[in-house]
Amino acid sequence: MRIAQRDRRIVILQAAFAENEAGEQEATGWAEYANPWASYQPVSDGERLRAAAVEQKTDGRFQVLWTAKLAAVTGAFRLRFQGDDWRITGVKEIGYRNRLEITAWRLVKGAG
């Protein structure tokens, strides 16, 4: 992947936890985990239909360079792109430690 293709800045978010009065860990929000450069490609309507996903949601693919830190990203993380939060639905390695493709869908404004 050429550098010019990674023309978008994304933020990978990890759930932040704090101890509540009962001594249990409780999710309190999202904290920045990584801030890589990425390429963005919306998922086409044809792909969505072939996957039988008929819901009204915006899907996208983000490609980033492979790093050990980014390879640890799972569906438990979130992604922030152009001011919106996205739920990560998949992460796959492209080539041996070359790139990662992160598939995600945009959350409705105000969703947590």
Side-chain angles (χ1 to χ4, degrees):
M1 173 186 287
R2 294 187 349 239
I3 291 174
Q5 292 174 310
R6 293 184 314 278
D7 60 352
R8 317 288 175 98
R9 193 59 109 159
I10 63 172
V11 179
I12 304 293
L13 304 168
Q14 183 175 34
F17 292 91
E19 194 171 295
N20 64 17
E21 292 133 11
E24 302 166 333
Q25 291 293 314
E26 183 176 61
T28 58
W30 297 93
E32 186 173 318
Y33 176 76
N35 191 10
W37 285 98
S39 67
Y40 166 70
Q41 178 182 12
V43 172
S44 71
D45 292 335
E47 287 178 279
R48 188 175 299 131
L49 287 173
R50 284 190 294 279
V54 293
E55 297 177 46
Q56 275 299 80
K57 60 183 181 186
T58 304
D59 295 309
R61 286 193 194 94
F62 301 85
Q63 283 195 15
V64 297
L65 288 179
W66 187 96
T67 65
K69 184 174 187 172
L70 292 175
V73 170
T74 66
F77 290 72
R78 293 267 173 96
L79 184 147
R80 186 164 290 146
F81 173 61
Q82 295 181 338
D84 294 329
D85 285 358
W86 297 60
R87 176 161 291 146
I88 295 173
T89 58
V91 179
K92 72 178 179 183
E93 187 174 332
I94 299 175
Y96 179 71
R97 294 186 175 181
N98 184 1
R99 291 172 286 156
L100 293 170
E101 181 180 272
I102 302 170
T103 307
W105 54 273
R106 186 178 7 211
L107 296 168
V108 177
K109 293 271 188 200

